[in-house]
Structure formats: structure tokens, C-alpha cells
Amino acid sequence: EVKFVESGGGLVQAGGSLRLSCTASGFMIDGYAIGWFRQAPGKEREGVSCIDNTETHYAPFMEGRVTVSRDNAENTVYLEMDDLQPEDSANYYCGTQCGLYTRDGYYSRVYAFNYWGEGTPVTVSP
């Protein structure tokens, strides 16, 4: 069974940092793009970042505040977020798909399969 499990979310004050993890089991992430998305209640899902082998892509609203990295040996992708603001509050989840607007245009990566985690909630207080 393939599972993606996110962790590291929580409550943080504005200006704080969080490091989210996305760990896969039953599936080797090496060689595949992994995307981070977020969705706040009542809002549409939006792409936050993508790590495609060694290439990284970020949404402009997170650029400069976020770093995505991967440890293929640990089968894990990380999302380090700094200077978090209340508008960053959302459920953050990862999966085997990328789709986000970047400063260079829309970046997309899809596969014939589609695996997603359930997400980890991030709440940023003023």
C-alpha cells in the first residue's frame, strides 16, 4: 500500500517557522517530482512548491520564505517555511503531482498515478 504522511504542522505565531515533512512508504520518491499544496477552509487549493529531482519551484507568495528539499534515502521531502503569516494558515499536503504558478509561469508535473497524503494543519496566529 502506498502512503504519504505529512507531519510538522502546528500552531505558530506570526513571524515564526515550521518544517514540514512528507514521508512516503510503499513508493520510492527518487526520480519523481513531489509537490506541496495547501488549502484553507473555503478557499481553493493552491500549489506552494515542487521539487523535481534537484529543481525547485516556488509560488511567488512563498518565495523567499520557503525552502523545499528531499532526502531520497529517507524517502522524505521537507518544506521549511519562515516568517509565517496568518494568511499562510491552511492544511498543507504533499503528493506525486506538481501544479503551481511561479514567476516563470505555470509549472506542472503529472504522472499516470496519483498519490497524496492527508495533510498537516498549519495555524499562524497574529
Side-chain angles (χ1 to χ4, degrees), residues 15-39:
S17 299
L18 284 173
R19 188 192 196 208
L20 308 184
S21 299
C22 165
T23 301
S25 59
F27 177 87
M28 300 304 293
I29 68 169
D30 194 358
Y32 292 100
I34 301 295
W36 280 98
F37 293 79
R38 72 184 188 183
Q39 188 164 21

Side-chain angles (χ1 to χ4, degrees), residues 2 13 27 36 46 48 51 53 60 69 75 98 109 119 123 125:
V2 175
Q13 285 190 324
F27 177 87
W36 280 98
E46 52 186 357
V48 174
I51 184 162
N53 285 312
S69 60
N75 225 25
C98 289
R109 180 72 91 179
T123 303
S125 63

Side-chain angles (χ1 to χ4, degrees), residues 30-84:
D30 194 358
Y32 292 100
I34 301 295
W36 280 98
F37 293 79
R38 72 184 188 183
Q39 188 164 21
K43 293 192 175 179
E44 301 230 337
R45 182 184 80 167
E46 52 186 357
V48 174
S49 76
C50 175
I51 184 162
D52 193 348
N53 285 312
T54 57
E55 276 186 26
T56 58
H57 305 272
Y58 302 107
F61 58 78
M62 292 298 283
E63 208 162 14
R65 304 189 292 130
V66 66
T67 304
V68 64
S69 60
R70 65 195 298 160
D71 184 337
N72 290 333
E74 294 294 323
N75 225 25
T76 298
V77 173
Y78 302 98
L79 188 72
E80 185 118 23
M81 303 187 292
D82 300 312
D83 191 25
L84 285 162

